[in-house]
Coordinates of all heavy atoms in Angstrom, one line a residue:
M1 N -6.3 -14.4 24.3 CA -6.8 -15.5 25.1 C -5.9 -16.7 24.9 O -5.7 -17.1 23.7 CB -8.3 -15.7 24.8 CG -8.8 -17.0 25.4 SD -10.5 -17.5 24.9 CE -11.3 -16.9 26.4
S2 N -5.4 -17.3 25.8 CA -4.6 -18.5 25.6 C -5.4 -19.7 25.7 O -6.5 -19.8 26.3 CB -3.5 -18.5 26.7 OG -4.1 -18.6 28.0
I3 N -5.0 -20.7 25.1 CA -5.6 -22.0 24.9 C -5.0 -23.0 25.9 O -3.8 -23.2 25.9 CB -5.6 -22.6 23.5 CG1 -6.2 -21.7 22.6 CG2 -6.2 -24.0 23.5 CD1 -7.7 -21.5 22.7
A4 N -5.8 -23.6 26.8 CA -5.2 -24.5 27.8 C -5.4 -25.9 27.2 O -6.2 -26.2 26.2 CB -6.0 -24.4 29.2
S5 N -4.6 -26.9 27.7 CA -4.7 -28.3 27.2 C -6.2 -28.9 27.3 O -6.6 -29.6 26.5 CB -3.8 -29.2 27.9 OG -4.0 -29.2 29.3
S6 N -6.9 -28.3 28.3 CA -8.4 -28.7 28.5 C -9.2 -28.2 27.4 O -10.4 -28.7 27.2 CB -8.8 -28.3 29.8 OG -8.9 -26.9 30.0
D7 N -8.7 -27.3 26.6 CA -9.5 -26.6 25.5 C -9.2 -27.3 24.2 O -9.9 -27.0 23.2 CB -9.2 -25.1 25.4 CG -9.5 -24.3 26.6 OD1 -10.6 -24.7 27.3 OD2 -8.9 -23.4 26.9
I8 N -8.4 -28.3 24.2 CA -8.1 -29.1 23.0 C -8.9 -30.4 23.1 O -8.7 -31.2 24.1 CB -6.6 -29.3 22.9 CG1 -5.9 -28.0 22.7 CG2 -6.3 -30.3 21.7 CD1 -4.4 -28.1 22.8
V9 N -9.8 -30.6 22.2 CA -10.8 -31.7 22.3 C -10.8 -32.6 21.2 O -11.0 -32.1 20.1 CB -12.3 -31.1 22.6 CG1 -13.3 -32.2 22.8 CG2 -12.3 -30.1 23.7
P10 N -10.6 -33.9 21.4 CA -10.7 -34.8 20.2 C -12.0 -34.8 19.6 O -13.1 -34.7 20.3 CB -10.3 -36.2 20.8 CG -9.7 -35.9 22.1 CD -10.2 -34.6 22.6
F11 N -12.1 -35.0 18.3 CA -13.4 -35.0 17.6 C -14.5 -35.9 18.2 O -15.6 -35.6 18.4 CB -13.2 -35.3 16.1 CG -14.4 -35.4 15.3 CD1 -15.1 -34.2 14.9 CD2 -15.0 -36.6 15.0 CE1 -16.3 -34.2 14.2 CE2 -16.2 -36.7 14.3 CZ -16.8 -35.4 13.8
S12 N -14.1 -37.2 18.5 CA -14.9 -38.1 19.1 C -15.5 -37.7 20.4 O -16.8 -37.8 20.7 CB -14.3 -39.5 19.3 OG -13.1 -39.3 20.2
E13 N -14.7 -37.0 21.3 CA -15.2 -36.4 22.5 C -16.2 -35.2 22.2 O -17.2 -35.1 22.9 CB -14.0 -36.0 23.4 CG -14.5 -35.4 24.8 CD -13.3 -35.0 25.6 OE1 -12.1 -35.6 25.4 OE2 -13.4 -34.1 26.4
A14 N -15.8 -34.4 21.3 CA -16.6 -33.2 20.9 C -18.0 -33.7 20.5 O -19.0 -33.1 20.8 CB -15.9 -32.4 19.8
R15 N -18.1 -34.8 19.7 CA -19.3 -35.3 19.2 C -20.2 -35.8 20.3 O -21.4 -35.5 20.3 CB -19.0 -36.4 18.2 CG -20.2 -37.0 17.4 CD -19.8 -38.0 16.4 NE -18.9 -38.9 17.0 CZ -18.0 -39.7 16.3 NH1 -17.9 -39.4 15.0 NH2 -17.2 -40.5 16.8
T16 N -19.6 -36.4 21.3 CA -20.3 -36.9 22.4 C -20.7 -35.8 23.4 O -21.8 -35.9 24.0 CB -19.4 -38.0 23.1 OG1 -19.0 -39.0 22.3 CG2 -20.2 -38.7 24.2
H17 N -19.9 -34.8 23.6 CA -20.2 -33.8 24.6 C -20.4 -32.4 24.0 O -20.1 -31.5 24.6 CB -19.0 -33.7 25.5 CG -18.7 -35.1 26.3 ND1 -19.6 -35.6 27.1 CD2 -17.7 -35.9 26.1 CE1 -19.0 -36.7 27.6 NE2 -17.9 -36.9 26.9
L18 N -21.0 -32.3 22.9 CA -21.2 -31.1 22.2 C -22.0 -30.1 23.0 O -21.6 -28.9 23.1 CB -21.9 -31.3 20.8 CG -22.0 -30.0 20.0 CD1 -20.7 -29.4 19.7 CD2 -22.7 -30.4 18.6
S19 N -23.1 -30.5 23.7 CA -23.9 -29.7 24.5 C -23.0 -29.0 25.6 O -23.2 -27.8 25.8 CB -25.0 -30.4 25.1 OG -25.8 -29.6 25.8
S20 N -22.2 -29.7 26.2 CA -21.5 -29.1 27.4 C -20.3 -28.3 26.8 O -19.9 -27.2 27.5 CB -20.9 -30.2 28.3 OG -20.0 -31.1 27.6
L21 N -19.8 -28.6 25.6 CA -18.7 -27.7 25.0 C -19.4 -26.4 24.6 O -18.8 -25.4 24.8 CB -18.2 -28.4 23.8 CG -17.3 -29.6 24.0 CD1 -16.9 -30.3 22.8 CD2 -16.1 -29.2 24.9
V22 N -20.6 -26.4 24.1 CA -21.3 -25.2 23.7 C -21.5 -24.3 24.9 O -21.3 -23.2 24.9 CB -22.7 -25.5 23.0 CG1 -23.5 -24.3 22.8 CG2 -22.4 -26.1 21.6
S23 N -21.9 -25.0 26.0 CA -22.1 -24.2 27.3 C -20.7 -23.5 27.7 O -20.8 -22.4 28.2 CB -22.6 -25.1 28.4 OG -23.9 -25.6 28.1
E24 N -19.7 -24.2 27.5 CA -18.3 -23.6 27.9 C -18.1 -22.5 27.0 O -17.5 -21.4 27.4 CB -17.3 -24.7 27.9 CG -17.3 -25.7 29.0 CD -16.2 -26.6 28.9 OE1 -15.0 -26.2 28.9 OE2 -16.4 -27.9 29.0
V25 N -18.3 -22.6 25.7 CA -18.1 -21.5 24.7 C -19.0 -20.3 25.0 O -18.5 -19.2 25.0 CB -18.3 -22.1 23.3 CG1 -18.4 -20.9 22.3 CG2 -17.3 -22.9 22.9
Q26 N -20.2 -20.5 25.4 CA -21.1 -19.5 25.8 C -20.5 -18.7 27.1 O -20.7 -17.5 27.2 CB -22.5 -19.9 26.1 CG -23.2 -20.3 24.9 CD -24.6 -21.0 25.2 OE1 -24.8 -21.8 26.1 NE2 -25.7 -20.6 24.4
A27 N -19.8 -19.5 27.9 CA -19.2 -18.9 29.1 C -17.9 -18.2 28.8 O -17.2 -17.7 29.7 CB -19.1 -19.9 30.2
G28 N -17.5 -18.2 27.6 CA -16.3 -17.4 27.2 C -15.1 -18.2 26.8 O -14.0 -17.7 26.3
K29 N -15.2 -19.6 26.9 CA -14.1 -20.4 26.4 C -14.0 -20.5 24.9 O -15.0 -20.4 24.2 CB -14.3 -21.8 27.1 CG -14.1 -21.9 28.6 CD -12.7 -22.0 28.9 CE -12.6 -22.5 30.4 NZ -11.3 -22.7 30.8
E30 N -12.9 -21.0 24.4 CA -12.7 -21.4 23.0 C -12.2 -22.8 23.0 O -11.3 -23.1 23.9 CB -11.8 -20.4 22.3 CG -12.4 -19.0 22.2 CD -11.5 -18.1 21.4 OE1 -10.4 -18.4 21.1 OE2 -12.0 -17.0 21.1
K31 N -12.6 -23.6 22.1 CA -12.2 -24.9 22.0 C -11.6 -25.3 20.6 O -12.0 -24.8 19.6 CB -13.4 -25.9 22.3 CG -14.1 -25.8 23.5 CD -13.3 -26.2 24.7 CE -13.9 -26.1 26.0 NZ -13.1 -26.5 27.1
I32 N -10.6 -26.1 20.7 CA -9.9 -26.5 19.4 C -10.3 -28.1 19.3 O -10.1 -28.8 20.2 CB -8.4 -26.4 19.4 CG1 -8.0 -25.0 19.7 CG2 -7.8 -27.0 18.2 CD1 -8.3 -24.0 18.6
I33 N -11.0 -28.4 18.1 CA -11.3 -29.8 17.9 C -10.2 -30.4 17.0 O -9.8 -29.8 16.0 CB -12.7 -29.8 17.1 CG1 -13.8 -28.9 17.8 CG2 -13.1 -31.2 16.9 CD1 -14.1 -29.3 19.2
T34 N -9.8 -31.6 17.5 CA -8.7 -32.3 16.8 C -9.3 -33.5 16.1 O -10.2 -34.2 16.6 CB -7.5 -32.6 17.7 OG1 -8.0 -33.5 18.8 CG2 -7.0 -31.4 18.3
K35 N -8.5 -33.9 15.1 CA -8.8 -35.2 14.4 C -7.5 -35.8 14.1 O -6.7 -35.2 13.5 CB -9.7 -35.0 13.2 CG -10.4 -36.2 12.7 CD -11.5 -35.9 11.7 CE -12.3 -37.1 11.3 NZ -13.4 -36.8 10.4
N36 N -7.3 -37.0 14.6 CA -6.0 -37.7 14.4 C -4.9 -36.8 15.0 O -3.7 -36.8 14.4 CB -5.8 -38.1 13.0 CG -6.8 -39.0 12.5 OD1 -7.3 -39.9 13.2 ND2 -7.2 -38.9 11.2
G37 N -5.2 -36.2 16.1 CA -4.1 -35.3 16.7 C -3.8 -34.0 16.0 O -3.0 -33.2 16.6
E38 N -4.5 -33.6 15.0 CA -4.3 -32.4 14.4 C -5.5 -31.4 14.6 O -6.6 -31.9 14.5 CB -4.1 -32.6 12.8 CG -2.9 -33.3 12.5 CD -1.6 -32.6 12.7 OE1 -1.6 -31.4 12.5 OE2 -0.6 -33.2 13.1
G39 N -5.3 -30.2 14.9 CA -6.4 -29.2 15.0 C -7.1 -29.0 13.7 O -6.5 -28.8 12.7
V40 N -8.4 -29.2 13.6 CA -9.1 -29.1 12.4 C -10.3 -28.1 12.4 O -10.7 -27.6 11.4 CB -9.7 -30.4 12.0 CG1 -8.6 -31.5 11.6 CG2 -10.7 -31.1 12.9
A41 N -10.7 -27.7 13.6 CA -11.8 -26.8 13.8 C -11.7 -26.1 15.1 O -11.1 -26.5 16.0 CB -13.1 -27.5 13.6
A42 N -12.3 -24.9 15.2 CA -12.5 -24.2 16.5 C -13.9 -24.0 16.7 O -14.7 -23.8 15.9 CB -11.8 -22.9 16.3
L43 N -14.2 -24.1 18.1 CA -15.6 -23.8 18.5 C -15.5 -22.5 19.4 O -14.8 -22.6 20.5 CB -16.1 -25.0 19.4 CG -17.5 -25.0 19.9 CD1 -18.4 -25.1 18.6 CD2 -17.8 -26.3 20.7
I44 N -16.1 -21.4 18.8 CA -16.0 -20.2 19.5 C -17.3 -19.5 19.4 O -18.2 -19.9 18.6 CB -15.0 -19.3 18.8 CG1 -15.4 -19.0 17.3 CG2 -13.6 -19.8 18.9 CD1 -14.5 -17.9 16.6
A45 N -17.6 -18.6 20.3 CA -18.8 -17.8 20.2 C -19.1 -17.1 18.9 O -18.1 -16.6 18.3 CB -18.9 -16.8 21.4
A46 N -20.3 -17.0 18.5 CA -20.6 -16.5 17.2 C -20.2 -14.9 17.1 O -19.7 -14.5 16.1 CB -22.1 -16.6 16.9
D47 N -20.3 -14.2 18.2 CA -19.9 -12.8 18.2 C -18.4 -12.7 18.1 O -18.0 -11.7 17.5 CB -20.5 -12.0 19.4 CG -20.0 -12.6 20.7 OD1 -19.6 -13.8 20.8 OD2 -20.1 -11.9 21.7
R48 N -17.7 -13.6 18.7 CA -16.3 -13.7 18.6 C -15.8 -13.9 17.2 O -14.9 -13.3 16.7 CB -15.7 -14.7 19.6 CG -14.3 -14.6 19.8 CD -14.0 -13.6 20.9 NE -12.6 -13.7 21.3 CZ -12.0 -12.7 21.7 NH1 -12.6 -11.7 22.1 NH2 -10.8 -12.8 22.1
L49 N -16.4 -14.8 16.4 CA -16.2 -15.0 15.1 C -16.4 -13.8 14.2 O -15.5 -13.5 13.3 CB -17.0 -16.3 14.5 CG -16.8 -16.6 13.0 CD1 -15.3 -17.1 12.8 CD2 -17.8 -17.7 12.7
D50 N -17.4 -13.1 14.5 CA -17.7 -11.8 13.8 C -16.6 -10.8 14.0 O -16.1 -10.1 13.1 CB -19.1 -11.3 14.2 CG -19.5 -10.0 13.4 OD1 -19.4 -10.1 12.2 OD2 -19.7 -8.9 14.0
H51 N -16.1 -10.8 15.3 CA -15.0 -9.9 15.6 C -13.7 -10.3 14.8 O -13.0 -9.5 14.4 CB -14.7 -10.0 17.1 CG -13.6 -9.2 17.6 ND1 -13.5 -7.9 17.6 CD2 -12.3 -9.7 18.0 CE1 -12.3 -7.5 18.1 NE2 -11.6 -8.6 18.3
Y52 N -13.4 -11.6 14.7 CA -12.2 -12.0 14.0 C -12.3 -11.7 12.5 O -11.4 -11.3 11.9 CB -12.1 -13.6 14.2 CG -11.7 -14.0 15.5 CD1 -12.0 -15.3 16.0 CD2 -11.0 -13.2 16.4 CE1 -11.6 -15.8 17.3 CE2 -10.7 -13.6 17.7 CZ -11.0 -15.0 18.1 OH -10.7 -15.3 19.3
H53 N -13.6 -11.8 12.0 CA -13.8 -11.4 10.5 C -13.5 -9.9 10.4 O -12.9 -9.6 9.3 CB -15.1 -11.8 10.1 CG -15.3 -13.3 9.9 ND1 -16.4 -13.9 9.4 CD2 -14.4 -14.3 10.1 CE1 -16.2 -15.1 9.2 NE2 -15.0 -15.5 9.7
R54 N -14.0 -9.1 11.3 CA -13.8 -7.7 11.2 C -12.3 -7.4 11.2 O -11.8 -6.5 10.5 CB -14.6 -7.0 12.3 CG -16.1 -6.8 12.0 CD -16.8 -5.8 12.9 NE -16.5 -5.9 14.4 CZ -17.0 -6.7 15.2 NH1 -18.2 -7.4 14.8 NH2 -16.7 -6.7 16.4
L55 N -11.6 -8.0 12.1 CA -10.1 -7.8 12.3 C -9.4 -8.2 11.0 O -8.5 -7.5 10.5 CB -9.6 -8.6 13.4 CG -9.9 -8.1 14.8 CD1 -9.3 -9.1 15.8 CD2 -9.2 -6.8 15.0
E56 N -9.9 -9.3 10.4 CA -9.2 -9.7 9.1 C -9.5 -8.7 8.0 O -8.6 -8.4 7.3 CB -9.8 -11.1 8.7 CG -9.2 -11.7 7.5 CD -9.8 -13.1 7.3 OE1 -10.9 -13.3 7.4 OE2 -8.9 -13.9 6.7
R57 N -10.7 -8.1 7.9 CA -11.0 -7.2 6.9 C -10.2 -5.9 7.1 O -9.7 -5.3 6.1 CB -12.6 -6.8 6.9 CG -13.3 -7.9 6.2 CD -14.8 -7.4 5.9 NE -15.5 -7.1 7.1 CZ -16.2 -7.8 7.9 NH1 -16.2 -9.1 7.7 NH2 -16.8 -7.4 9.0
A58 N -10.1 -5.5 8.3 CA -9.3 -4.3 8.7 C -7.7 -4.6 8.3 O -7.2 -3.7 7.7 CB -9.4 -4.0 10.2
H59 N -7.3 -5.7 8.6 CA -5.9 -6.0 8.2 C -5.7 -6.0 6.7 O -4.7 -5.4 6.2 CB -5.5 -7.4 8.7 CG -4.1 -7.8 8.4 ND1 -3.1 -7.3 8.9 CD2 -3.8 -8.8 7.5 CE1 -2.0 -7.8 8.4 NE2 -2.3 -8.7 7.5
I60 N -6.6 -6.6 5.9 CA -6.6 -6.4 4.5 C -6.6 -5.0 4.0 O -5.8 -4.7 3.1 CB -7.8 -7.3 3.8 CG1 -7.5 -8.8 4.0 CG2 -7.9 -7.0 2.4 CD1 -8.7 -9.7 3.7
H61 N -7.5 -4.2 4.6 CA -7.5 -2.8 4.2 C -6.2 -2.1 4.5 O -5.8 -1.3 3.6 CB -8.7 -2.1 5.0 CG -10.0 -2.5 4.4 ND1 -11.1 -2.4 5.2 CD2 -10.4 -3.1 3.3 CE1 -12.2 -2.9 4.6 NE2 -11.8 -3.3 3.5
L62 N -5.5 -2.4 5.6 CA -4.3 -1.8 5.9 C -3.2 -2.2 4.9 O -2.4 -1.4 4.5 CB -3.8 -2.2 7.3 CG -4.6 -1.5 8.4 CD1 -4.1 -2.0 9.8 CD2 -4.4 0.0 8.4
L63 N -3.2 -3.5 4.5 CA -2.3 -4.0 3.5 C -2.5 -3.2 2.2 O -1.6 -2.8 1.5 CB -2.4 -5.5 3.3 CG -2.0 -6.3 4.4 CD1 -2.2 -7.8 4.1 CD2 -0.5 -6.1 4.8
C64 N -3.8 -3.0 1.7 CA -4.0 -2.3 0.5 C -3.5 -0.9 0.7 O -2.9 -0.2 -0.3 CB -5.5 -2.3 0.3 SG -6.2 -3.9 -0.2
L65 N -3.7 -0.2 1.8 CA -3.3 1.2 2.0 C -1.8 1.3 2.0 O -1.2 2.2 1.3 CB -3.8 1.7 3.3 CG -5.3 2.1 3.4 CD1 -5.6 2.5 4.8 CD2 -5.6 3.2 2.5
R66 N -1.1 0.3 2.4 CA 0.4 0.2 2.3 C 0.8 0.2 0.9 O 1.8 0.8 0.4 CB 1.0 -0.9 3.1 CG 1.0 -0.6 4.6 CD 1.8 -1.8 5.3 NE 1.5 -1.7 6.7 CZ 1.2 -2.7 7.4 NH1 1.3 -3.9 7.0 NH2 0.8 -2.6 8.7
E67 N 0.2 -0.7 0.1 CA 0.4 -0.8 -1.3 C 0.2 0.5 -2.0 O 1.0 0.9 -3.0 CB -0.3 -2.0 -2.0 CG 0.1 -3.3 -1.5 CD 1.5 -3.6 -1.9 OE1 1.9 -3.3 -3.1 OE2 2.3 -4.2 -1.1
I68 N -0.9 1.2 -1.7 CA -1.2 2.5 -2.3 C -0.1 3.5 -2.0 O 0.3 4.2 -2.9 CB -2.6 3.0 -1.8 CG1 -3.7 2.1 -2.5 CG2 -2.8 4.4 -2.2 CD1 -5.0 2.3 -1.9
E69 N 0.3 3.5 -0.7 CA 1.4 4.5 -0.3 C 2.6 4.2 -1.1 O 3.3 5.1 -1.5 CB 1.6 4.4 1.2 CG 0.5 5.0 2.0 CD 0.9 4.8 3.5 OE1 1.7 3.9 3.9 OE2 0.3 5.6 4.3
A70 N 3.0 2.9 -1.3 CA 4.2 2.6 -2.0 C 4.1 3.0 -3.5 O 5.0 3.5 -4.1 CB 4.5 1.0 -1.9
G71 N 2.9 2.8 -4.1 CA 2.7 3.2 -5.4 C 2.8 4.8 -5.6 O 3.4 5.1 -6.5
L72 N 2.2 5.4 -4.7 CA 2.2 6.9 -4.8 C 3.7 7.4 -4.6 O 4.2 8.3 -5.2 CB 1.4 7.5 -3.7 CG -0.2 7.4 -3.9 CD1 -0.9 7.8 -2.7 CD2 -0.6 8.1 -5.2
A73 N 4.5 6.7 -3.7 CA 5.9 7.0 -3.6 C 6.6 6.8 -4.9 O 7.5 7.6 -5.3 CB 6.4 6.3 -2.4
D74 N 6.3 5.7 -5.5 CA 7.0 5.4 -6.8 C 6.6 6.5 -7.8 O 7.6 6.9 -8.6 CB 6.6 4.1 -7.3 CG 7.2 2.9 -6.6 OD1 8.2 3.1 -5.9 OD2 6.7 1.7 -6.8
V75 N 5.4 6.9 -7.9 CA 5.0 8.0 -8.8 C 5.8 9.2 -8.4 O 6.3 9.9 -9.4 CB 3.5 8.1 -8.8 CG1 3.1 9.4 -9.6 CG2 2.8 6.9 -9.4
A76 N 5.8 9.6 -7.2 CA 6.5 10.8 -6.9 C 8.0 10.8 -7.2 O 8.6 11.8 -7.4 CB 6.3 11.0 -5.3
A77 N 8.6 9.6 -7.1 CA 10.0 9.4 -7.4 C 10.3 9.2 -8.8 O 11.4 9.0 -9.2 CB 10.5 8.3 -6.5
G78 N 9.2 9.2 -9.6 CA 9.4 9.1 -11.1 C 9.6 7.6 -11.5 O 10.0 7.3 -12.6
R79 N 9.3 6.7 -10.6 CA 9.4 5.2 -11.0 C 8.2 4.7 -11.5 O 7.4 4.0 -10.9 CB 9.9 4.4 -9.8 CG 11.3 4.8 -9.3 CD 11.7 3.9 -8.1 NE 10.7 4.0 -7.0 CZ 10.9 4.7 -5.9 NH1 12.0 5.5 -5.8 NH2 10.1 4.7 -4.9
H80 N 7.7 5.2 -12.7 CA 6.5 4.7 -13.3 C 6.6 4.9 -14.9 O 7.6 5.4 -15.3 CB 5.4 5.5 -12.9 CG 5.4 7.0 -13.2 ND1 5.0 7.5 -14.3 CD2 6.0 8.0 -12.4 CE1 5.2 8.8 -14.4 NE2 5.9 9.2 -13.2
Q81 N 5.7 4.2 -15.5 CA 5.6 4.4 -17.0 C 4.2 4.3 -17.4 O 3.3 3.8 -16.7 CB 6.5 3.2 -17.7 CG 6.1 1.9 -17.3 CD 7.1 0.9 -18.0 OE1 7.3 1.0 -19.2 NE2 7.5 -0.1 -17.2
D82 N 3.9 4.7 -18.6 CA 2.6 4.6 -19.2 C 2.1 3.2 -19.3 O 2.8 2.3 -19.8 CB 2.5 5.4 -20.5 CG 1.1 5.3 -21.1 OD1 0.4 6.3 -20.7 OD2 0.8 4.4 -21.9
A83 N 0.9 2.9 -18.8 CA 0.5 1.5 -18.8 C 0.3 1.0 -20.3 O 0.7 -0.2 -20.5 CB -0.9 1.4 -18.0
R84 N -0.1 1.8 -21.2 CA -0.4 1.3 -22.6 C 1.0 1.0 -23.2 O 1.1 0.0 -23.9 CB -1.1 2.4 -23.4 CG -2.6 2.5 -23.0 CD -3.3 3.5 -23.8 NE -4.5 3.9 -23.3 CZ -4.6 4.9 -22.5 NH1 -3.6 5.7 -22.1 NH2 -5.7 5.3 -21.9
Q85 N 1.9 1.8 -22.9 CA 3.3 1.5 -23.4 C 3.9 0.3 -22.9 O 4.5 -0.5 -23.6 CB 4.2 2.7 -23.3 CG 3.8 4.0 -24.0 CD 4.7 5.2 -23.7 OE1 5.4 5.1 -22.8 NE2 4.5 6.3 -24.4
A86 N 3.7 0.1 -21.6 CA 4.2 -1.1 -20.9 C 3.6 -2.3 -21.4 O 4.3 -3.4 -21.7 CB 4.0 -1.0 -19.4
L87 N 2.3 -2.3 -21.6 CA 1.5 -3.5 -22.3 C 2.0 -3.8 -23.6 O 2.2 -4.9 -24.0 CB 0.1 -3.3 -22.1 CG -0.5 -3.4 -20.7 CD1 -2.0 -3.0 -20.8 CD2 -0.4 -4.8 -20.1
A88 N 2.2 -2.7 -24.4 CA 2.6 -2.9 -25.8 C 4.0 -3.6 -25.8 O 4.3 -4.4 -26.6 CB 2.7 -1.6 -26.5
K89 N 4.9 -3.2 -24.9 CA 6.3 -3.7 -24.9 C 6.2 -5.2 -24.4 O 6.9 -6.0 -25.0 CB 7.1 -3.0 -23.8 CG 8.5 -3.3 -23.9 CD 9.3 -2.4 -23.0 CE 10.8 -2.8 -22.9 NZ 11.6 -1.9 -22.1
I90 N 5.3 -5.5 -23.4 CA 5.1 -6.9 -23.0 C 4.6 -7.8 -24.2 O 5.2 -8.9 -24.4 CB 4.2 -7.0 -21.8 CG1 4.9 -6.3 -20.5 CG2 3.8 -8.5 -21.6 CD1 3.9 -6.2 -19.4
K91 N 3.7 -7.2 -24.9 CA 3.1 -8.0 -26.0 C 4.2 -8.2 -27.1 O 4.3 -9.3 -27.7 CB 1.9 -7.3 -26.6 CG 0.7 -7.4 -25.8 CD -0.5 -6.6 -26.4 CE -1.6 -6.7 -25.5 NZ -2.9 -6.0 -26.0
Q92 N 5.0 -7.1 -27.3 CA 6.0 -7.3 -28.3 C 7.1 -8.3 -27.9 O 7.6 -9.1 -28.8 CB 6.7 -5.8 -28.5 CG 7.8 -5.8 -29.6 CD 8.5 -4.5 -29.6 OE1 8.1 -3.6 -28.8 NE2 9.3 -4.3 -30.5
N93 N 7.4 -8.3 -26.7 CA 8.4 -9.3 -26.2 C 7.8 -10.8 -26.3 O 8.6 -11.7 -26.4 CB 8.9 -9.0 -24.8 CG 9.7 -7.8 -24.7 OD1 10.3 -7.3 -25.7 ND2 9.8 -7.2 -23.5
R94 N 6.6 -10.9 -26.2 CA 6.0 -12.3 -26.2 C 5.7 -12.8 -27.6 O 5.5 -13.9 -27.8 CB 4.6 -12.3 -25.5 CG 4.7 -12.1 -24.0 CD 3.4 -12.3 -23.3 NE 3.6 -12.2 -21.9 CZ 2.5 -12.0 -21.0 NH1 1.2 -12.0 -21.5 NH2 2.7 -12.0 -19.8
A95 N 5.7 -11.8 -28.6 CA 5.4 -12.2 -30.0 C 6.5 -13.0 -30.6 O 7.6 -12.9 -30.3 CB 5.3 -10.9 -30.8
P96 N 6.1 -14.1 -31.3 CA 7.1 -15.0 -31.9 C 7.9 -14.2 -32.9 O 7.4 -13.4 -33.7 CB 6.3 -16.1 -32.6 CG 4.9 -15.6 -32.7 CD 4.8 -14.5 -31.6
S97 N 9.2 -14.3 -32.8 CA 10.2 -13.6 -33.7 C 10.2 -14.3 -35.0 O 10.1 -15.5 -35.2 CB 11.5 -13.4 -33.0 OG 12.1 -14.7 -32.8
D98 N 10.5 -13.5 -36.0 CA 10.7 -14.0 -37.4 C 12.1 -14.2 -37.7 O 12.6 -13.7 -38.7 CB 10.0 -13.1 -38.4 CG 8.5 -13.0 -38.2 OD1 7.9 -14.0 -37.8 OD2 7.9 -12.0 -38.5
R99 N 12.9 -14.8 -36.9 CA 14.3 -14.9 -37.1 C 14.7 -16.2 -37.8 O 14.3 -17.2 -37.8 CB 15.0 -14.8 -35.8 CG 14.9 -13.5 -35.2 CD 15.6 -13.4 -33.9 NE 15.0 -12.2 -33.1 CZ 15.2 -12.0 -31.9 NH1 16.0 -12.7 -31.2 NH2 14.7 -11.0 -31.3

């Protein structure tokens, strides 16, 4: 859905005309509320917000799956090491030396 210039509403106007803006949102519009010329909030239908949240969660899950695939590929290619040994090495490198 594209945003038209009529969908960009200054905060002062939104405060004054909230009822009519809500009616427009119920009819399928989305509004961007601005303050000092900068977009600060969006007025959208509640079910649409739920849809956006579901999309965001799905995107996060896909990113996690990509990381898992990369990790499995590293293991299959032999690019891994024992976690305990790696942590011991890190701790050893961080320890103050007696030089």
Side-chain angles (χ1 to χ4, degrees):
M1 170 182 255
S2 61
I3 301 291
S5 60
S6 61
D7 297 326
I8 300 171
V9 183
F11 179 76
S12 58
E13 182 181 329
R15 186 175 48 209
T16 306
H17 302 291
L18 184 58
S19 181
S20 63
L21 291 173
V22 167
S23 295
E24 288 184 53
V25 167
Q26 287 176 317
K29 294 274 193 173
E30 295 181 352
K31 300 294 182 176
I32 302 295
I33 310 299
T34 62
K35 197 167 189 179
N36 299 323
E38 296 289 325
V40 295
L43 190 58
I44 62 172
D47 62 337
R48 194 84 175 156
L49 179 61
D50 184 53
H51 173 72
Y52 291 155
H53 285 184
R54 284 194 312 272
L55 286 175
E56 185 178 34
R57 282 191 303 276
H59 179 71
I60 290 168
H61 292 156
L62 287 173
L63 291 176
C64 288
L65 287 172
R66 283 189 198 136
E67 289 296 318
I68 290 168
E69 285 178 340
L72 290 172
D74 284 343
V75 169
R79 295 184 301 263
H80 61 87
Q81 57 182 315
D82 182 86
R84 288 182 200 91
Q85 292 174 356
L87 288 173
K89 188 174 181 179
I90 290 169
K91 288 179 182 178
Q92 181 183 7
N93 290 340
R94 288 185 180 171
S97 61
D98 295 330
R99 295 180 202 169

